[in-house]
Amino acid sequence: MTPAKPARARGPYAKSAQRWQEILEAATTVFATHGYRGGSLRDISRQLNLSLTSIVHHFGTKYELLEAVLERADKTVGTGFAPFNFEADCTERGVALATLDRVRSNLERPELLRLLAILAAESSAPEHPAHGWFVNRYRTKRASLAESFAFDQKQGRIDATRDPELLSGFLIGAWDGLQLQWLIDSSTDMVRGMRAFFESTVPEALPRES
């Protein structure tokens, strides 16, 4: 008996997934250029030469599309948008090394960093549609980094007398600030700046260079 061939995705499903990705990429460009309020679904549809109906078919509303763009930007790495678990990397290698690698990979995608920077500023207004998303993002990120710093302490990577919650807030502030400086002036050495942060704040978190 001839063995059964593995099932393959049918053409329409593959095309739909490809279209979904194309819309996300176009939306990333539009929102990173014009912000959420300045960018429209019509701008996105014109960029792809698609009908507005096709955009709405895939994402429903402008905010649903924005949320999909933000989630992809926040949970992937590199230009290929490979899934990336930053918390797991922190556990395995420590916050300092995981952060430095994440910073290096982010240098490949300035458009996504610009998108997050613009929308974070816009959403500081409570009435902004993405306000809740960013509030939750920062709360979750602070708590997660504090847990990672605490784990580093248990592993002997960081001095046990340091306050994990303060370190978490300091790191987020330094990281966001360096990213913004780099977006404004690409000559800013973001990796060097982040390494300097760890050297001055928790030097014991960095392995000694041979």
Side-chain angles (χ1 to χ4, degrees):
M1 181 181 292
T2 304
K5 294 181 179 180
R8 295 182 181 178
R10 295 182 179 180
Y13 293 104
K15 289 181 180 178
S16 180
Q18 180 180 353
R19 180 68 72 201
W20 191 83
Q21 291 292 341
E22 290 171 351
I23 293 171
L24 273 184
E25 289 169 12
T28 298
T29 300
V30 168
F31 291 145
T33 303
H34 304 291
Y36 177 76
R37 298 196 187 282
S40 68
L41 293 181
R42 291 190 184 280
D43 293 330
I44 297 165
S45 65
R46 280 195 293 267
Q47 185 167 318
L48 293 170
N49 197 27
L50 286 175
S51 68
L52 189 59
T53 302
S54 180
I55 305 290
V56 173
H57 169 74
H58 282 85
F59 288 96
T61 67
K62 181 181 174 183
Y63 179 69
E64 287 178 26
L65 176 53
L66 172 67
E67 195 170 56
V69 168
L70 291 172
E71 290 291 339
R72 186 178 70 155
D74 220 25
K75 296 180 180 179
T76 59
V77 67
T79 55
F81 300 103
F84 181 72
N85 190 328
F86 179 69
E87 290 76 16
D89 201 28
C90 286
T91 298
E92 181 179 348
R93 300 191 300 144
V95 176
L97 292 182
T99 299
L100 290 171
D101 271 2
R102 180 72 173 182
V103 169
R104 290 188 191 97
S105 67
N106 278 344
L107 294 173
E108 302 174 14
R109 45 189 215 169
E111 192 170 76
L112 286 172
L113 297 188
R114 186 170 294 109
L115 170 75
L116 289 169
I118 289 173
L119 292 175
E122 278 189 355
S123 69
S124 62
E127 67 274 10
H128 192 280
H131 179 77
W133 189 91
F134 275 97
V135 167
N136 182 66
R137 177 181 188 256
Y138 277 108
R139 284 177 179 170
T140 301
K141 190 177 290 290
R142 282 197 304 270
S144 176
L145 280 171
E147 289 180 7
S148 294
F149 276 120
F151 183 79
D152 275 359
Q153 289 176 319
K154 292 178 181 178
Q155 298 300 306
R157 296 168 181 158
I158 292 179
D159 189 328
T161 64
R162 301 185 185 277
D163 186 329
E165 292 186 3
L166 285 178
L167 289 175
S168 173
F170 292 158
L171 174 54
I172 291 171
W175 198 340
D176 282 2
L178 283 167
Q179 278 189 171
L180 184 57
Q181 292 175 60
W182 178 72
L183 287 169
I184 294 171
D185 179 2
S186 61
S187 69
T188 300
D189 191 332
M190 188 158 49
V191 176
R192 183 182 179 187
M194 188 56 69
R195 177 171 282 277
F197 165 80
F198 285 110
E199 288 174 346
S200 62
T201 308
V202 279
E204 68 274 18
L206 292 169
R208 294 181 180 179
E209 297 182 356
S210 56

